[in-house]
Amino acid sequence: MKKSILFFTAFMLLGLSFAKAQNRPPIISSTEAAKKKAEKRLKDIQTVLTQYPQGLRGFEYSDLSNTSFVNIRLYGAMLRGTNFNNTDLSNADFQQANLDFVSFINAKLIGANLVGAYNLETARFGDADLTNAKITAAQEKILKGKNYKGTPIVVK
């Protein structure tokens, strides 16, 4: 047991020295990486909740997964690359929002308003629930090739 602890400590010290000599950041543990990811996610959520009402519209590449944003208004938001996986977005307003490369995998978009949202071609809807979501006829054509649940409502 002591040998394995000693070996691990020596390995980590050598790894840090090697990384430093190569001008690379040291290897971080998976728990440190998970902690940094969780901290970024929390910051992203706080930014959306506090900055959107003040006029900020750019939330590109935010991690907003595994959260509940029921009735959130994201009208005109720039959401390129945002992760909404497993998020409850029931009755959310995405009018005029940029959904380029947005991920809605397993998201609840029940009653959401997607009218006027653009770049749906690159958005991922894997098993998202679009029951009663409002879309246009043009958006319906785009969504035909997507994998989602429920029946959206086509509005004119």
Side-chain angles (χ1 to χ4, degrees):
M1 181 73 159
K2 287 183 181 180
K3 283 184 181 180
S4 63
I5 292 172
L6 182 62
F7 176 76
F8 178 75
T9 305
F11 176 76
M12 289 304 292
L13 289 174
L14 285 173
L16 289 172
S17 300
F18 180 75
K20 190 174 182 182
Q22 299 294 317
N23 288 327
R24 293 187 308 196
I27 299 169
I28 60 172
S29 71
S30 60
T31 53
E32 289 177 66
K35 183 179 177 185
K36 284 186 178 190
K37 184 177 179 180
E39 287 171 353
K40 182 196 178 308
R41 185 173 159 274
L42 181 60
K43 184 179 178 195
D44 289 346
I45 292 167
Q46 289 172 335
T47 300
V48 169
L49 293 176
T50 59
Q51 301 298 315
Y52 184 87
Q54 297 175 13
L56 180 69
R57 296 293 179 261
F59 303 110
E60 290 93 343
Y61 303 101
S62 296
D63 183 1
L64 305 174
S65 61
N66 302 301
T67 310
S68 179
F69 286 115
V70 175
N71 297 316
I72 193 163
R73 186 172 187 268
L74 293 171
Y75 184 96
M78 303 302 290
L79 298 167
R80 184 172 213 252
T82 297
N83 178 356
F84 285 112
N85 295 349
N86 303 303
T87 297
D88 188 352
L89 295 159
S90 298
N91 300 310
D93 184 0
F94 287 102
Q95 290 184 76
Q96 308 304 320
N98 180 357
L99 302 180
D100 196 23
F101 296 104
V102 171
S103 183
F104 291 110
I105 296 172
N106 292 316
K108 283 175 67 176
L109 291 153
I110 299 168
N113 188 351
L114 298 169
V115 174
Y118 55 99
N119 290 326
L120 288 172
E121 300 86 357
T122 58
R124 291 176 285 163
F125 288 91
D127 286 329
D129 189 349
L130 294 175
T131 303
N132 296 329
K134 294 165 200 70
I135 60 171
T136 64
Q139 289 172 321
E140 181 182 37
K141 289 178 185 176
I142 293 167
L143 289 174
K144 279 209 191 281
K146 306 282 184 179
N147 179 27
Y148 61 89
K149 297 185 272 188
T151 305
I153 298 171
V154 178
V155 297
K156 297 182 182 199

